[in-house]
Structures are given as C-alpha cells and as structure tokens.
Amino acid sequence: QVQLAESGGGSVQAGGSVTVTCEATGVTYRRKCMGYFRQAPGQEREGVASIYRHDDGRILPTYADSVKGRATISLDNSDDRIKFALTDLKPEDTAKYYCVAGSRPFGGRCPLLHGMFEDWGQGTQVTVSA
C-alpha cells in the first residue's frame, strides 16, 4: 500500500506559475511511475504529466499536449518525492490536481491513462484567475 501526500497549489493569476509536490510513503519500491492528473468541475480526470524511474537510472517524463512546453515534472531530492511546476497559467488550468503512483510502465514511459496508476492522492486545488 502506498500513501501519497500532496502539497502546494493555491490561487494564482493568469500568466503566473504554480508548483505542487507529492511524497509517497509505504511500499513504494514497485511504483516506478508517479505523476499528476487533474479534474475540473464537470469534466473528466485528465492525465497531465508522469515520470518513469527507469531501472538504469534514467528519469523519463511524459506530458499531455495541454501542458507541454509549460510543465516540468521532476524528482524532488528523493525517488519517492516529485515536483510538478506549471507556468504561463491559464484559467483552464483551474482544477484539482491529484498525485498518482503506479507500477505499470509501458513502452518505456508511464502513459497518462487512469488505469495505469494504482494509487491516488486526495488532490490539491489550483485556481487560476483571469
């Protein structure tokens, strides 16, 4: 069992930036994938970024088209802690951001698919005002 604790987020003006972090605790050694999904009111959850901790030491990120070029996901001083930064924020980035962890990399990446992740955090709100 893996527990995910999120921090960061908040209210930001359009054009600004936000960083959210997530720390995994518990039996984490099999969770090679970590990342973030987001869900806006009335919309489905959308995978926005993931990171794959390859056995050879490589760290491989994957980004959704909606955030590509504005997002950076990285390890945060630990294999069990990640940081997700989003810049040039837009009102459509407003959502609850959920940290996820999974053990099912595919094709050398961690696909941004709901079913690929076994563990979900409680979410942290990001609100972007125009």
Side-chain angles (χ1 to χ4, degrees):
Q1 189 73 14
V2 173
Q3 294 78 43
L4 300 172
E6 299 131 324
S7 60
S11 296
V12 189
Q13 287 194 325
S17 62
V18 69
T19 299
V20 291
T21 59
C22 175
E23 183 167 14
T25 57
V27 185
T28 63
Y29 73 95
R30 295 179 63 183
R31 297 297 191 261
K32 297 297 184 182
C33 295
M34 290 186 72
Y36 277 92
F37 278 61
R38 69 184 182 185
Q39 187 170 25
Q43 298 188 21
E44 294 187 354
R45 288 187 182 182
E46 172 196 20
V48 291
S50 67
I51 194 165
Y52 174 32
R53 293 185 289 113
H54 201 279
D55 287 338
D56 65 8
R58 288 177 294 158
I59 305 299
L60 303 174
T62 299
Y63 299 102
D65 288 343
S66 59
V67 300
K68 199 170 290 183
R70 302 189 294 126
T72 304
I73 189 168
S74 60
L75 295 180
D76 188 21
N77 297 316
S78 166
D79 283 349
D80 296 325
R81 184 179 171 92
I82 62 170
K83 180 168 61 177
F84 175 68
L86 191 59
T87 63
D88 190 22
L89 286 165
K90 309 173 192 301
E92 51 263 41
D93 292 318
T94 294
K96 199 164 189 179
Y97 285 70
Y98 296 88
C99 180
V100 295
S103 56
R104 303 170 188 157
F106 182 81
R109 296 280 176 175
C110 297
L112 297 172
L113 300 173
H114 188 284
M116 304 298 281
F117 297 93
E118 296 100 314
D119 306 293
W120 292 72
Q122 294 299 307
T124 187
Q125 182 67 34
V126 173
T127 301
V128 183
S129 56

